[in-house]
Amino acid sequence: MAVSASAALALPVGGGAGAAPARSTHRTAMPATPEVATPFTATGFFHTAWRAGRWWLVTPDGQPFYSTGIDHVSASPDVDRTTGVCPYCVTVAKDYPSIAAWDQATVTRLEGWGFNTLGPWSDTALDSKMPYTVLLSMASGNDWFAPSFVTNAQAVAASQVAPLADDPNLIGWYTDSELSWGPGLQGSQSLLDQYLALPAGSPGRAVAETYVGNPSGFTYALATRYFSVTTAAIRAVDPHHLILGVKAIAQLIPPQVLEAARPYVDVFSVDDYAVLPVVTSYVTSHWPGYLPVEPDLANIEAIVGKPLIVAEYSFRAADSGVPNTWPPIYPTLATQGQRAARYAAFAQHLRAAPWMVGDDWFEYVDEPNGGRFDGENSNFGVVSVLDRPYAALVDRMTQADAVAPDRMAAPGGRCLLWARSPAGAVTCTNQVPASAIGPPGVPDGTGMWVAGPSGAVASSGNAPAYGSAAHLHLNEPIVGMAATPDGGGYWLVAADGGVFAFGDATFYGSAAHLHLNEPIVGMAASPDGGGYWLVAADGGVFAFGDATFSGSAAHLHLAAPVVGMAASPDGGGYWLVAADGGVFAFGDATFSGSAAHLHLAAPVVGMATDPAGGYWLVAADGGVFAFGGAPFCGSGATAPATSPVVAIDGTAVGYRIVTSAGGVRSFGPLPALSPTPAPAGGRVVGATS
């Protein structure tokens, strides 16, 4: 979490300015990002604007900008509190001839991965090499109504804000990080109770006494005091740069803070870490005054009415060798591949929201094994303390950043650094070519493959051909397929369990040598591409590579045969679906409902998962059923296809259904794809992207 404070929750262990658009209470993902044909107004500073159905950050020279940031980029990040040694510092001294050489290599590395912003706690030496944000820490004392709170904020502004007030590469100011707005961070008392406990005659207690019995009213009054004082102090010396809010802890945000912030911030910032279910349950049951955490933070935007930025988030994994014992409130995944998959699902879902203008990963380097100053010892880094990148993670980051909203709105090269002349004009000093930004594989939602029973494969959109099994003598027909996470390859599976790998898909084994009770009917790839599962009609599951076997339905008396499966977003489990719409969940896959109780006009033929953890089912008549957090974007049942639907392919913002003749219908904000010709073999039996 934040570098400036140990912000562990007090929970039991164990378990801008731009005119705002008219707002609607109907929250859905917006259509695919259109190109922004004309530049925004060039003001010489970063600012915000609404255009093409979403909020944007805007560069000093008037181009759309979505901040893909990383926090704490430093050659001297954390000292191990048990040894007194900074392990990454030792690596830098050994591997680089100078700090300047590390600076340049690190910026080149970050730009190559698609990062365009240095978040808080980054080395100031890097600030002139990439756009950046600054954390000010303006809160002081335990009485924000005292005059000293004002004078301290003014002193911070004079010493830290004023010297950078003319820098075009500064995006804006975070006024504080992870402040306490009630129970949880510093104890179990409300803000009102804390202020009523101040000495008699103190300014804060005098205000609190007027709110006895009205803790929500006092929270609003205190938050208004905070935001008005800190904003006034900044604006007195810097009228231009964005005020980015307080990096509020996602699980501990009272609505009164959002209401109070609205007149004073240009962007509201949230630190949005995934926490263990026991933490969520505890907060909900003990402190119901906090808002629930929605995957795209829509409920926060609906109150604050300003664009949002996620200023910190991260995921950690056990295979890093880092202890990951503190903070104990976060899940620890098994592998870097699962970590990469969780990142991809989080970022993809978040960036589809039209109010999001950026997200910053915490952090560049892993924390030391012995813990940093407050004991944190987590695998939060994109590189280890030996300066070795986690390949699976940075590969997924590169792919995701290459299709971030600004890259889609303004394809090609872009400026990532500006200088101001003595006369005040801003010019670009670092033009990054498109070749340094583009990813391998296929951006999500822009292409698709389909397979026929003969093993032939056809593609549409941006999906390249990687090969097929049509030239092979198959013992049994192909029944399904799955793509690798980077879109660089795919697998085909036959009814006898034979698996065929193409492109960058790796062969991990098959069930062709087994005596199967029922034929294989489908497959799902693990989110890191390191394995896959096969499923048979009787619900039997077969796991290969790093895909973990979590159970099967083979021992159950099924009312209808299993017809497909899908993996959970982190690869820790999977769902099976039967022809009657019954759903069976295994591992960490959450059961969110089924269609087994419905009177179906046609049998269910497949399923797909939403990166947020929900799933869709599709029937042969094109009917779609959405469960969990998966959005319902429409159904093909109202306009039946001339041939039966055989598959559904899901993304973070919508899905496509595919017919046996190769017809493709897109639902939600996905680009339309031309019909995919049915491959040799006469019909489609599987589809993937």
Side-chain angles (χ1 to χ4, degrees):
M1 294 179 73
V3 172
S4 61
S6 114
L9 298 176
L11 297 171
V13 175
R23 303 207 326 279
S24 167
T25 57
H26 180 60
R27 299 289 174 190
T28 60
M30 299 299 287
T33 305
E35 291 191 18
V36 177
T38 56
F40 295 87
T41 301
T43 66
F45 297 93
F46 277 92
H47 58 285
T48 61
W50 174 271
R51 180 178 296 180
R54 69 172 298 133
W55 279 105
W56 300 94
L57 293 175
V58 180
T59 63
D61 54 353
Q63 297 299 318
F65 188 87
Y66 183 94
S67 176
T68 50
I70 188 162
D71 296 334
H72 204 195
V73 182
S74 174
S76 54
D78 290 315
V79 172
D80 188 313
R81 70 174 187 173
T82 62
T83 66
V85 173
C86 167
Y88 188 69
C89 303
V90 174
T91 298
V92 171
K94 177 173 65 73
D95 292 349
Y96 295 91
S98 65
I99 295 298
W102 176 86
D103 285 354
Q104 187 56 55
T106 301
V107 169
T108 300
R109 178 186 263 181
L110 293 176
E111 288 179 348
W113 293 337
F115 289 105
N116 61 17
T117 302
L118 295 170
W121 309 290
S122 295
D123 283 355
T124 54
L126 288 166
D127 291 350
S128 61
K129 297 181 176 67
M130 289 181 76
Y132 65 102
T133 57
V134 173
L135 174 65
L136 294 172
S137 301
M138 301 187 85
S140 63
N142 62 354
D143 186 352
W144 293 351
F145 290 101
S148 58
F149 180 71
V150 177
T151 56
N152 179 77
Q154 292 170 339
V156 170
S159 63
Q160 299 180 47
V161 176
L164 298 174
D166 202 41
D167 187 350
N169 299 302
L170 172 63
I171 295 173
W173 310 101
Y174 295 110
T175 53
D176 273 290
S177 179
E178 300 185 348
L179 296 174
S180 174
W181 297 107
L185 193 60
Q186 304 295 342
S188 58
Q189 282 188 316
S190 70
L191 291 175
L192 177 59
D193 287 340
Q194 293 174 37
Y195 272 72
L196 287 172
L198 292 174
S202 59
R205 177 164 172 174
V207 174
E209 287 171 347
T210 68
Y211 285 92
V212 171
N214 183 10
S216 295
F218 182 75
T219 298
Y220 177 81
L222 183 65
T224 298
R225 168 71 170 179
Y226 171 86
F227 288 110
S228 63
V229 167
T230 54
T231 295
I234 292 170
R235 288 291 176 242
V237 296
D238 178 3
H240 303 297
H241 290 110
L242 294 168
I243 295 177
L244 303 175
V246 292
K247 296 174 77 271
I249 298 174
Q251 292 78 15
L252 303 179
I253 300 177
Q256 297 82 15
V257 170
L258 300 173
E259 294 164 355
R262 187 187 305 134
Y264 301 105
V265 301
D266 301 300
V267 177
F268 192 83
S269 49
V270 178
D271 289 359
D272 188 11
Y273 290 85
V275 297
L276 294 169
V278 65
V279 178
T280 301
S281 298
Y282 190 91
V283 171
T284 302
S285 61
H286 287 72
W287 307 320
Y290 294 126
L291 294 169
V293 182
E294 295 185 351
D296 59 4
L297 306 182
N299 55 339
I300 291 176
E301 186 275 339
I303 297 173
V304 76
K306 294 293 178 75
L308 305 182
I309 188 167
V310 172
E312 289 185 40
Y313 67 100
S314 201
F315 303 98
R316 61 190 187 183
D319 65 353
S320 60
V322 182
N324 293 312
T325 55
W326 193 264
I329 61 174
Y330 304 138
T332 299
L333 306 170
T335 68
Q336 294 301 313
Q338 291 179 5
R339 191 177 178 221
R342 287 290 290 271
Y343 158 78
F346 179 89
Q348 188 179 38
H349 201 88
L350 199 71
R351 294 172 186 180
W355 44 84
M356 294 304 307
V357 295
D359 55 84
D360 284 10
W361 174 274
F362 184 85
E363 58 190 318
Y364 184 59
V365 183
D366 277 340
E367 292 168 339
N369 281 6
R372 62 175 195 176
F373 68 92
D374 61 354
E376 279 198 12
N377 57 4
S378 289
N379 166 224
F380 287 150
V382 297
V383 302
S384 71
V385 295
L386 297 178
D387 201 37
R388 294 172 183 164
Y390 292 103
L393 178 63
V394 298
D395 284 351
R396 293 299 286 270
M397 287 175 163
T398 304
Q399 295 155 21
D401 291 349
V403 291
D406 59 336
R407 277 70 150 179
M408 299 296 285
R414 64 197 61 254
C415 184
L416 284 183
L417 200 66
W418 298 266
R420 190 179 305 280
S421 71
V426 171
T427 57
C428 179
T429 60
N430 180 22
Q431 186 73 27
V432 179
S435 60
I437 305 170
V442 182
D444 185 50
T446 63
M448 174 177 283
W449 298 275
V450 300
S454 69
V457 175
S459 61
S460 64
N462 292 334
Y466 295 118
S468 81
H471 62 289
L472 301 176
H473 177 71
L474 302 176
N475 295 321
E476 295 287 343
I478 297 298
V479 294
M481 69 187 310
T484 59
D486 65 359
Y490 43 76
W491 298 272
L492 306 180
V493 63
D496 64 352
V499 174
F500 308 89
F502 302 92
D504 68 2
T506 299
F507 177 76
Y508 297 109
S510 82
H513 63 289
L514 302 177
H515 177 71
L516 301 174
N517 295 322
E518 295 287 344
I520 297 296
V521 293
M523 73 183 308
S526 59
D528 64 355
Y532 43 77
W533 298 270
L534 312 182
V535 64
D538 63 353
V541 174
F542 308 88
F544 302 91
D546 69 2
T548 301
F549 178 77
S550 301
S552 83
H555 62 289
L556 302 177
H557 178 70
L558 301 176
V562 168
V563 294
M565 73 182 308
S568 63
D570 66 359
Y574 42 81
W575 297 271
L576 310 182
V577 63
D580 64 351
V583 174
F584 308 89
F586 301 92
D588 69 0
T590 301
F591 177 78
S592 299
S594 83
H597 63 289
L598 303 176
H599 179 69
L600 300 176
V604 168
V605 294
M607 74 183 309
T609 46
D610 169 70
Y615 46 85
W616 299 279
L617 311 182
V618 67
D621 64 352
V624 175
F625 309 89
F627 300 93
F632 178 75
C633 302
S635 166
T638 55
T642 56
S643 58
V645 169
V646 295
I648 183 169
D649 182 61
T651 74
V653 294
Y655 44 84
R656 293 190 177 96
I657 59 175
V658 183
T659 72
S660 64
V664 179
R665 290 188 62 185
S666 300
F667 296 88
L670 288 171
L673 293 181
S674 300
T676 303
R683 60 190 175 89
V684 171
V685 295
T688 190
S689 66

